[in-house]
Amino acid sequence: MSRDPSLPSDIDMRAFLLRFIQDPKHPDGITVPPENQREFLMLFGLIQRVRRLTQAYLRLERDGFLSEGSVLVRAALEHAVIAQWAYLTPGGIDRLHVSLAIAQADVAKSMMAYSKDPEWVTLEQHLRGLVPPGAALPKFSGKDAMMTELDSIKFLAASYRVLSQVGHVTHQAALDFVTEDQGVVRLRTNPESMEQDHLLYALCGFCMLVAWLHARLEADEEEVLRLKEMSVRLHLPWRLDTHMPRDRRRFPDEDNDDSAASEQVD
């Protein structure tokens, strides 16, 4: 299959990913305005997870595990979307805090079922007491979910569905390793690669979403401008809220400069 001409060049996409991984803006540390510090502490782990997932994907790709690397790209999608939703919707940071606290307590609760160590009971009770009041995050995918609310042209949903094929038991597990040619069934140890350009493009999109968040939280207007310029050149979104109703936007008076966020290319 020929290369999709609507996608950015391979060189440009890899240059952006390399820039994101190397994080050249922070050789001497990170400076965050006091009013953004709580949000930054809540979101930095999600941002950094996307950075490390990207680095891990590129290593797998280099070693011939492109298909398996799609699992990491899917994880990057989830972290980037949740970070954007938490930051861009009213009360989103508080809801993220509740969800993370519940998840931590739930891990201890699960261990209680498999371990006789009484310390798990004590830990679960302690962690449950630390859960803040209020609602947790909505579900990630499906009707009335975070991804659905942010996904103006179904790019996220389509990417999520395709990228999930390797992470779950699907038809792809059989089709990747068994082929038939003129009635002869053959086994193969390596799957056929997914469309590498589309995989790279999706990953670039998720990286751009969290790179913009990072710059925004640092109030680094020069970096925000650079990222917007890269977004336009690479046809990538940098924020996912501009199509939403004003009452669902934390920053309803901020318009998208050139609609790159709502004109994603799949």
Side-chain angles (χ1 to χ4, degrees), residues 164-198:
S164 296
Q165 297 307 300
V166 175
H168 301 293
V169 177
T170 69
H171 64 282
Q172 197 165 320
L175 298 179
D176 272 353
F177 301 101
V178 179
T179 184
E180 182 178 350
D181 182 18
Q182 296 181 350
V184 178
V185 175
R186 301 183 186 279
L187 306 181
R188 54 188 178 202
T189 57
N190 298 319
E192 287 188 345
S193 297
M194 297 175 61
E195 285 297 315
Q196 187 172 18
D197 292 332
H198 286 274

Side-chain angles (χ1 to χ4, degrees), residues 25-26 29-33 36 40 213-220:
K25 289 292 296 177
H26 305 102
I30 295 171
T31 302
V32 179
N36 293 346
F40 183 83
L213 271 180
H214 194 163
R216 170 94 171 202
L217 290 167
E218 287 191 90
D220 187 342

Side-chain angles (χ1 to χ4, degrees), residues 221-239:
E221 292 300 326
E222 290 183 0
E223 177 68 359
V224 167
L225 181 59
R226 279 191 290 268
L227 290 170
K228 288 182 178 181
E229 291 171 348
M230 292 180 198
S231 293
V232 173
R233 187 171 69 251
L234 297 173
H235 307 291
L236 297 172
W238 64 78
R239 64 188 299 170

Side-chain angles (χ1 to χ4, degrees), residues 6-52:
S6 68
L7 295 176
S9 73
D10 183 86
I11 293 176
D12 287 344
M13 289 191 288
R14 292 183 184 277
F16 169 69
L17 292 178
L18 183 61
R19 181 185 190 273
F20 177 69
I21 290 171
Q22 293 179 336
D23 194 19
K25 289 292 296 177
H26 305 102
D28 301 316
I30 295 171
T31 302
V32 179
E35 63 271 19
N36 293 346
Q37 287 181 2
R38 176 176 181 259
E39 295 168 333
F40 183 83
L41 291 175
M42 293 295 300
L43 295 174
F44 178 71
L46 281 69
I47 294 168
Q48 190 65 11
R49 182 74 78 189
V50 174
R51 181 173 282 114
R52 290 181 60 83

